[in-house]
Amino acid sequence: MEGREEAVQVYTFAVQPFYFMSLYDYKRWKNFTKEDLICKHTGKENPNVVEFTKLMDMVQDMRNELGFPFYISSCYRDPTNPEEAKEAKPGQHSIAAIDIRVDPENYFKLLKKAMEKGFTGIGINCKGAYKNRFIHLDKRKIS
């Protein structure tokens, strides 16, 4: 068909690799959900795979050994999370840290087990409303 131009429509789209894939097999940590562990502000997963996996394996081991529920009040925080952004530099939650709420009768059991497991960053906020109380755990380097 001489003289006739065929119209070719070209479709272009941006592919953002890995955004649809998860960095982790969350089934590995049977007592915690993906929603417990991602940034509550951005919905992003922790990009520090090695550090975060070690942390969560330790937390899951503690949960298995202690046998009582752990309620996660905060885990990964993206550097743009308001809690991190207000700091001079992002803190341990942007690397690998977790805040756990447990029933008051279990505070000391959790603290003792965390020390036995080798957590080096331990913080306690046990004042105010129950929903705001937590024990912070991380594996920061101590110099």
Side-chain angles (χ1 to χ4, degrees):
M1 300 200 165
E2 213 172 299
R4 181 173 166 206
E5 294 179 28
E6 289 189 39
V8 176
Q9 187 165 5
V10 177
Y11 295 95
T12 60
F13 56 94
V15 176
Q16 297 182 359
F18 306 112
Y19 285 96
F20 58 91
M21 296 173 59
S22 181
L23 294 172
Y24 304 96
D25 176 10
Y26 288 94
K27 293 176 192 158
R28 172 184 190 128
W29 306 303
K30 66 181 182 178
N31 296 103
F32 308 101
T33 66
K34 179 178 180 179
E35 290 70 30
D36 288 332
L37 307 178
I38 62 174
C39 179
K40 305 224 185 319
H41 178 71
T42 64
K44 292 181 182 177
E45 295 179 289
N46 190 325
N48 305 296
V49 176
V50 173
E51 296 91 339
F52 186 69
T53 299
K54 286 179 184 176
L55 173 93
M56 285 309 303
D57 284 350
M58 291 172 69
V59 171
Q60 183 63 58
D61 286 348
M62 287 193 325
R63 171 63 178 81
N64 294 344
E65 292 170 21
L66 291 170
F68 53 78
F70 291 7
Y71 307 99
I72 308 306
S73 57
S74 184
C75 197
Y76 173 64
R77 290 185 199 145
D78 186 75
T80 63
N81 181 304
E83 290 294 316
E84 295 299 314
K86 70 182 179 185
E87 303 295 330
K89 67 177 195 167
Q92 287 299 123
H93 280 277
S94 67
I95 301 167
I98 192 165
D99 293 342
I100 301 171
R101 186 171 43 88
V102 296
D103 293 328
E105 65 271 13
N106 293 321
Y107 287 154
F108 292 111
K109 294 174 192 170
L110 177 60
L111 287 170
K112 181 179 181 207
K113 186 60 75 176
M115 289 185 280
E116 288 172 6
K117 289 286 184 187
F119 282 96
T120 51
I122 299 176
I124 304 168
N125 181 19
C126 292
K127 61 183 180 194
Y130 174 69
K131 67 179 181 158
N132 297 328
R133 298 176 181 199
F134 61 87
I135 295 173
H136 169 96
L137 302 173
D138 67 56
K139 288 283 293 174
R140 70 185 67 196
K141 290 182 171 70
I142 299 182
S143 45

